[in-house]
Amino acid sequence: MDEYDFIDGWIIRETTYKPEEESAKATVFALANGYMGLRGAGEELPPTIPGVKGCYINGIYDTPRGKLTEREFPNMPDWTFIQFWADHDPFDPANMGELLEYHRELDTREGVMRRYIRWRSPSGKVVRMESERLLSMTHRHVGVIRYRLLAEQPVHIELRSSIDGAVNNRWAYHFKRFTRRQEGEEDYLEVETFEPGYHIGVMARHEVLTPAQVNVERDDPTDRCVQTIFTFDLQPGQEFELTKWCALTDSRFSEGDLYRLCLAELDSVCALGYDALKAEHEQRWEDLWQSSDLQIEGDDKAQMGIRFAVFHLLAAAPYHDERISIPARGLQGQDYYGSIFWDCEIFVLPLFIYTQPQVARNILRYRYHTLEGAKRKAKRLGFQGAYYAWQSQETGDEQCDLYVFTNPLTGEPIRSYFADEQIHISADIVYAVWQYVQATGDERFWLDGGAEILVEVARFFVSRAHWNAERGRYELRSVLGPDEYHERVNNNVYTNAMAQFSVEKALEVLSLLQGKYPEAYDALKVKTGLTDGEVARWQDFARKVYVPAPDPQTRLIPQFDGYFKLRDEPVEQTRKRLAHPDLHPGGPLGPYQETQNIKQADVVLLLYLLRDRYDTETKLANWRYYEPRTAHDSSLSPMVYSLVAADVGMVDWAYKYFLYTAHIDLASYGPHWNLGIHAASLGGAWQAVVNGFCQLELTAEGIRFLKPPVIPSHWWSVQFRVVWHGQPVQVRVDGRSAELTNMGADEVPVLNPQCRAVIAPGESWRWEYA
């Protein structure tokens, strides 16, 4: 994290070029606008370098050879590809010539990436290159690069600007057909994927500003590339400026001829001009930051991490469409196939519930649009209701293979249980829906599919449960909890408690509809085939499902049946017993299954999500027990320990895990760090501040402080805005007090452990807690 400069509280800049780290840095400096994402690699780099350049359209996936393990969102043709030669020497600062000056920066306030390079060619010519790029937040199909060259000696330049379809992908190549057109001022490349056969159109138009005389030629050097070539001579001090306008459209989300759609997009933005388009784009970012910024005074490292986190999550958000969501690695890389996991609902969504509720609604509506896929999955496995895909894409059908891993010692595939036994995914979605409605007051969501989600998830859990007649309880057997190293366990406490929560909330919503929206209630019963007898079974399940309780003496909660009987040893000792570094550490072949050591937060996550159900003594006892036994081999783990540490007053521990989480991509921690952002970690960092240090949550009753805030002692203050039931509220917390200002038009209730108050519009409420 120390290799970046943090300028003016908004700009993240590197000043040392390390080509060997470009795969990681391309994630850090990536851009996105909800429709597409663009990795932050240099324009001159070939698109064939593994894991470096990439452009992805949210919601476009492809299966080139029928394998689930290759179904990912494709890397689109590289429209950023710009190369130049100075007196026949290629501009290749990684390998040729001398790099005299360098910086690359991500301006999180404006949503642009800039590069500056001063380079001496092998023949001694010094050329300055400056570039600025953006993905328009107001014209989501458009990306623009402004590219400048300035000569310090007389030099002949040949510059080639391409759209190149010979791109690298994470798992497989995804284009089976190419169509090239070069008409008028436009270069155009259209590609077709294998399955389901999406078409993507990519068009470029160039504008040149220079005193030099420029010769322009068009070329199609390969069957998957179109190119415009500019040749000119620059004298000392002369500049060549190229504005490369690009438009991307696709056949899933757009109707009509893609060529004409691209042309219309470029006509629209070129009529505006670069400066006007950029001003619109910056204004949109200013509006987003006004709602979602989180200011930390007194700690630049923390501020940089939070601004980085919120920027990348806002960039990836589905503002325009409820058929897509936020992938586990955002729109900034191809890892995890571009799929949607539980990460989104549990760790990413809270930022949007609190600050961008319409986006949160879109994200949850995605789960309604994929409900039929979840029902198909449950039926295929012999259950009723909706079992959501562990790895979800367009339709909600399961995209996670049953054999994710390979045994490196034998070459044989290893059976994994993510797809068929990690059933908590359905409960996680219900939890997110419930939190959304409580925070926003959007009861209409129940009528727009939310109630149907709850009904089908409750139906699934009750059908999946086993009745233990001897003990008089329902059990959930052979499951995989958040800790993915212990497979096929019985009564994972997280899974059972969240299943109980899901059924309880389904019953509450049915009661609400029956009393307040009787017509909707009747329609729901007809659509889902719900009967009074089935509802009675749900009530019985909610009362009798087994949720392991804390031990009366130790307050410890077993993660699953028999957990405390497993071998207890240091995590590092377990790591050393891994037979091969590439062997999956969990399951029967890995060393963790027979120990109490776990991959990631499990019981501790439950203590955060259902924090009102457990006392401080229980939270503290389990945090202290499970923390030294947690390997943190998942990016989803550290922020959970931060949240619960803050809840029990261990601020130093909370800060340690918060900072790790906020900087996970900046510091390139952990596996797969170079293949996209860790969206869950970035969302978890925001939660660690708002829900953890500030102890604030949005409830149906109002804005609630669970306890007095516990911000780190070196922080001067924390400021952010939340939206409660449509009313924006500005929050400021320091080491002694909390102040809330109602920026809306209606009253806002606020609660703390000592009192309840109501904040009138335009008024402030202050709580002196220390």
Side-chain angles (χ1 to χ4, degrees), residues 527-548:
K527 183 175 183 180
T528 62
L530 185 65
T531 65
D532 293 342
E534 186 175 14
V535 172
R537 290 193 293 276
W538 295 1
Q539 293 168 335
D540 192 54
F541 174 89
R543 288 192 303 269
K544 298 177 182 177
V545 64
Y546 173 50
V547 178

Side-chain angles (χ1 to χ4, degrees), residues 375 452 455-456 459 510 518-531:
K375 290 165 66 176
E452 190 177 344
V455 164
E456 296 296 354
R459 178 174 279 161
L510 289 176
E519 292 184 1
Y521 175 75
D522 291 340
L524 179 66
K525 289 186 69 176
V526 171
K527 183 175 183 180
T528 62
L530 185 65
T531 65

Side-chain angles (χ1 to χ4, degrees), residues 473 493 546-552 554-558 564 614 618 622:
R473 68 192 191 192
V493 64
Y546 173 50
V547 178
D551 181 90
T554 66
R555 308 306 298 165
L556 295 179
I557 303 171
F564 290 125
Y614 298 94
T618 298
N622 284 276

Side-chain angles (χ1 to χ4, degrees), residues 220-240:
D220 51 354
T222 72
D223 63 353
R224 57 193 65 186
C225 179
V226 288
Q227 187 176 92
T228 296
I229 304 171
F230 305 88
T231 53
F232 49 92
D233 294 312
L234 290 180
Q235 298 303 314
Q238 284 189 335
E239 184 177 278
F240 171 89

Side-chain angles (χ1 to χ4, degrees), residues 116-119 126-130 148-152:
Y116 171 84
I117 292 176
R118 184 167 174 261
W119 172 75
V126 176
V127 179
R128 300 180 194 175
M129 187 285 295
E130 298 177 16
R148 293 188 178 99
L149 299 178
L150 188 145
E152 295 188 14

